Short mmCIF file of all heavy atoms in Angstrom, two decimals:
data_model
loop_
_atom_site.label_atom_id
_atom_site.label_comp_id
_atom_site.label_asym_id
_atom_site.label_seq_id
_atom_site.Cartn_x
_atom_site.Cartn_y
_atom_site.Cartn_z
N VAL A 259 1.88 -10.30 13.44
CA VAL A 259 2.24 -11.60 12.78
C VAL A 259 3.50 -12.18 13.49
O VAL A 259 3.57 -13.47 13.56
CB VAL A 259 2.68 -11.26 11.27
CG1 VAL A 259 3.32 -12.42 10.56
CG2 VAL A 259 1.51 -10.85 10.49
N LEU A 260 4.37 -11.37 14.07
CA LEU A 260 5.58 -11.89 14.76
C LEU A 260 5.30 -13.05 15.78
O LEU A 260 6.00 -14.05 15.66
CB LEU A 260 6.31 -10.66 15.48
CG LEU A 260 7.67 -11.04 16.04
CD1 LEU A 260 8.69 -11.23 14.87
CD2 LEU A 260 8.11 -9.86 16.92
N PRO A 261 4.27 -12.90 16.61
CA PRO A 261 4.10 -14.06 17.53
C PRO A 261 3.46 -15.23 16.92
O PRO A 261 3.44 -16.30 17.57
CB PRO A 261 3.01 -13.52 18.65
CG PRO A 261 2.75 -12.04 18.11
CD PRO A 261 3.35 -11.81 16.80
N VAL A 262 3.02 -15.24 15.67
CA VAL A 262 2.28 -16.46 15.03
C VAL A 262 3.19 -17.09 14.08
O VAL A 262 3.34 -18.37 14.02
CB VAL A 262 1.08 -15.96 14.30
CG1 VAL A 262 0.20 -17.22 13.80
CG2 VAL A 262 0.19 -15.15 15.14
N ALA A 263 3.99 -16.35 13.26
CA ALA A 263 4.79 -16.86 12.18
C ALA A 263 6.00 -17.62 12.73
O ALA A 263 6.39 -17.49 13.85
CB ALA A 263 5.27 -15.77 11.21
N GLY A 264 6.59 -18.40 11.91
CA GLY A 264 7.82 -19.16 12.22
C GLY A 264 8.99 -18.35 11.86
O GLY A 264 10.11 -18.29 12.52
N ALA A 265 8.90 -17.56 10.80
CA ALA A 265 10.06 -16.67 10.28
C ALA A 265 9.36 -15.52 9.48
O ALA A 265 8.30 -15.67 8.93
CB ALA A 265 11.00 -17.48 9.42
N ILE A 266 9.99 -14.37 9.58
CA ILE A 266 9.47 -13.23 8.99
C ILE A 266 10.51 -12.33 8.52
O ILE A 266 11.61 -12.22 9.07
CB ILE A 266 8.54 -12.44 9.93
CG1 ILE A 266 7.73 -11.33 9.26
CG2 ILE A 266 9.18 -11.98 11.14
CD1 ILE A 266 6.66 -10.76 10.15
N THR A 267 10.33 -11.60 7.37
CA THR A 267 11.25 -10.55 6.85
C THR A 267 10.86 -9.12 7.40
O THR A 267 9.64 -8.84 7.20
CB THR A 267 11.46 -10.58 5.28
OG1 THR A 267 10.16 -10.20 4.81
CG2 THR A 267 11.87 -11.88 4.75
N PRO A 268 11.74 -8.37 7.87
CA PRO A 268 11.35 -7.00 8.26
C PRO A 268 11.31 -6.05 7.15
O PRO A 268 11.75 -6.27 6.03
CB PRO A 268 12.48 -6.64 9.26
CG PRO A 268 13.70 -7.41 8.74
CD PRO A 268 13.18 -8.61 8.05
N VAL A 269 10.63 -4.94 7.30
CA VAL A 269 10.63 -3.72 6.40
C VAL A 269 10.98 -2.55 7.29
O VAL A 269 10.28 -2.31 8.21
CB VAL A 269 9.35 -3.56 5.62
CG1 VAL A 269 9.44 -2.36 4.83
CG2 VAL A 269 8.97 -4.83 4.97
N PRO A 270 12.04 -1.75 7.10
CA PRO A 270 13.05 -2.14 5.99
C PRO A 270 14.05 -3.14 6.52
O PRO A 270 13.87 -3.66 7.70
CB PRO A 270 13.79 -0.69 5.99
CG PRO A 270 13.59 -0.06 7.34
CD PRO A 270 12.23 -0.50 7.75
N GLY A 271 15.02 -3.52 5.67
CA GLY A 271 16.05 -4.48 5.98
C GLY A 271 15.68 -6.01 5.69
O GLY A 271 16.37 -6.83 6.17
N GLY A 272 14.66 -6.11 4.84
CA GLY A 272 14.23 -7.44 4.45
C GLY A 272 14.59 -7.70 2.94
O GLY A 272 15.78 -7.86 2.69
N VAL A 273 13.51 -7.71 2.31
CA VAL A 273 13.62 -7.97 0.80
C VAL A 273 14.26 -6.83 -0.02
O VAL A 273 15.03 -7.06 -0.87
CB VAL A 273 12.24 -8.20 0.13
CG1 VAL A 273 12.24 -8.46 -1.46
CG2 VAL A 273 11.50 -9.43 0.80
N GLY A 274 14.13 -5.68 0.48
CA GLY A 274 14.70 -4.44 -0.23
C GLY A 274 16.11 -4.48 -0.61
O GLY A 274 16.51 -4.45 -1.72
N PRO A 275 17.05 -4.80 0.43
CA PRO A 275 18.51 -4.90 0.10
C PRO A 275 18.86 -6.09 -0.83
O PRO A 275 19.77 -6.02 -1.61
CB PRO A 275 19.11 -5.09 1.43
CG PRO A 275 18.13 -4.74 2.54
CD PRO A 275 16.73 -4.89 1.76
N MET A 276 17.98 -6.99 -0.85
CA MET A 276 18.34 -8.18 -1.87
C MET A 276 17.89 -7.93 -3.30
O MET A 276 18.51 -8.47 -4.22
CB MET A 276 17.49 -9.44 -1.36
CG MET A 276 17.98 -10.10 -0.21
SD MET A 276 19.77 -10.60 -0.29
CE MET A 276 19.71 -11.93 -1.42
N THR A 277 16.99 -6.91 -3.57
CA THR A 277 16.59 -6.69 -4.85
C THR A 277 17.76 -6.07 -5.70
O THR A 277 18.18 -6.54 -6.82
CB THR A 277 15.45 -5.55 -4.87
OG1 THR A 277 14.35 -6.17 -4.30
CG2 THR A 277 15.12 -5.19 -6.28
N ILE A 278 18.48 -4.99 -5.13
CA ILE A 278 19.63 -4.47 -5.87
C ILE A 278 20.75 -5.48 -5.95
O ILE A 278 21.52 -5.61 -6.97
CB ILE A 278 20.10 -3.09 -5.29
CG1 ILE A 278 18.93 -2.10 -5.49
CG2 ILE A 278 21.41 -2.69 -5.86
CD1 ILE A 278 19.27 -0.72 -5.07
N THR A 279 20.87 -6.26 -4.86
CA THR A 279 21.92 -7.28 -4.99
C THR A 279 21.78 -8.24 -6.12
O THR A 279 22.73 -8.60 -6.81
CB THR A 279 21.93 -8.11 -3.63
OG1 THR A 279 21.98 -7.30 -2.43
CG2 THR A 279 22.87 -9.13 -3.53
N MET A 280 20.55 -8.69 -6.40
CA MET A 280 20.31 -9.61 -7.56
C MET A 280 20.55 -8.97 -8.85
O MET A 280 20.98 -9.48 -9.76
CB MET A 280 19.03 -10.22 -7.43
CG MET A 280 18.65 -10.91 -6.19
SD MET A 280 20.09 -11.85 -5.53
CE MET A 280 20.20 -13.12 -6.74
N LEU A 281 20.30 -7.60 -8.81
CA LEU A 281 20.55 -6.79 -10.13
C LEU A 281 22.08 -6.88 -10.43
O LEU A 281 22.63 -7.11 -11.53
CB LEU A 281 20.10 -5.35 -9.95
CG LEU A 281 20.49 -4.38 -11.08
CD1 LEU A 281 19.79 -4.78 -12.32
CD2 LEU A 281 20.29 -2.96 -10.63
N LEU A 282 22.92 -6.69 -9.31
CA LEU A 282 24.40 -6.67 -9.46
C LEU A 282 24.72 -8.04 -9.80
O LEU A 282 25.68 -8.26 -10.74
CB LEU A 282 25.07 -6.25 -8.18
CG LEU A 282 24.64 -4.93 -7.54
CD1 LEU A 282 25.30 -4.67 -6.18
CD2 LEU A 282 24.97 -3.79 -8.51
N GLU A 283 24.16 -9.04 -9.31
CA GLU A 283 24.53 -10.44 -9.63
C GLU A 283 24.26 -10.80 -11.11
O GLU A 283 25.08 -11.34 -11.85
CB GLU A 283 23.90 -11.51 -8.77
CG GLU A 283 24.36 -12.90 -9.04
CD GLU A 283 23.80 -13.99 -8.21
OE1 GLU A 283 22.66 -14.50 -8.53
OE2 GLU A 283 24.46 -14.25 -7.12
N ASN A 284 22.98 -10.36 -11.63
CA ASN A 284 22.67 -10.55 -13.07
C ASN A 284 23.64 -9.80 -13.90
O ASN A 284 24.04 -10.37 -14.95
CB ASN A 284 21.34 -10.07 -13.23
CG ASN A 284 20.22 -11.02 -12.90
OD1 ASN A 284 20.50 -12.12 -12.56
ND2 ASN A 284 18.95 -10.53 -12.82
N THR A 285 24.21 -8.70 -13.53
CA THR A 285 25.07 -7.99 -14.43
C THR A 285 26.45 -8.75 -14.52
O THR A 285 27.17 -8.91 -15.50
CB THR A 285 25.34 -6.60 -13.85
OG1 THR A 285 24.10 -5.85 -13.68
CG2 THR A 285 26.35 -5.69 -14.71
N VAL A 286 26.90 -9.18 -13.29
CA VAL A 286 28.06 -10.01 -13.25
C VAL A 286 27.89 -11.31 -14.15
O VAL A 286 28.79 -11.72 -14.94
CB VAL A 286 28.54 -10.35 -11.83
CG1 VAL A 286 29.59 -11.41 -11.83
CG2 VAL A 286 29.10 -9.03 -11.19
N ILE A 287 26.69 -11.95 -14.00
CA ILE A 287 26.49 -13.18 -14.77
C ILE A 287 26.54 -12.77 -16.26
O ILE A 287 27.26 -13.62 -17.09
CB ILE A 287 25.08 -13.78 -14.52
CG1 ILE A 287 25.07 -14.44 -13.08
CG2 ILE A 287 24.69 -14.77 -15.52
CD1 ILE A 287 23.65 -14.78 -12.54
N SER A 288 25.97 -11.79 -16.63
CA SER A 288 26.02 -11.33 -18.08
C SER A 288 27.53 -11.05 -18.56
O SER A 288 27.89 -11.41 -19.67
CB SER A 288 25.24 -10.07 -18.23
OG SER A 288 25.22 -9.60 -19.59
N ALA A 289 28.22 -10.38 -17.67
CA ALA A 289 29.64 -10.15 -18.05
C ALA A 289 30.42 -11.54 -18.11
O ALA A 289 31.26 -11.65 -18.94
CB ALA A 289 30.32 -9.20 -16.94
N GLU A 290 30.20 -12.43 -17.26
CA GLU A 290 30.84 -13.72 -17.28
C GLU A 290 30.49 -14.54 -18.58
O GLU A 290 31.35 -15.01 -19.19
CB GLU A 290 30.47 -14.62 -16.07
CG GLU A 290 31.05 -14.07 -14.83
CD GLU A 290 30.55 -14.77 -13.50
OE1 GLU A 290 29.36 -15.38 -13.56
OE2 GLU A 290 31.20 -14.66 -12.53
N ARG A 291 29.14 -14.43 -18.97
CA ARG A 291 28.85 -14.96 -20.39
C ARG A 291 29.65 -14.28 -21.42
O ARG A 291 30.15 -14.97 -22.37
CB ARG A 291 27.33 -14.84 -20.56
CG ARG A 291 26.54 -15.77 -19.73
CD ARG A 291 25.12 -15.61 -19.96
NE ARG A 291 24.32 -16.33 -18.89
CZ ARG A 291 23.04 -15.97 -18.65
NH1 ARG A 291 22.38 -14.90 -19.18
NH2 ARG A 291 22.38 -16.65 -17.71
N ALA A 292 29.71 -12.89 -21.40
CA ALA A 292 30.40 -12.22 -22.45
C ALA A 292 31.81 -12.61 -22.36
O ALA A 292 32.50 -12.83 -23.60
CB ALA A 292 30.29 -10.72 -22.21
#
Side-chain angles (χ1 to χ4, degrees):
V259 171
L260 190 68
V262 188
I266 186 169
T267 63
V269 176
V273 177
M276 285 304 290
T277 295
I278 294 185
T279 303
M280 301 323 292
L281 173 70
L282 303 177
E283 186 177 86
N284 278 350
T285 305
V286 166
I287 289 171
S288 181
E290 285 170 346
R291 287 181 190 155

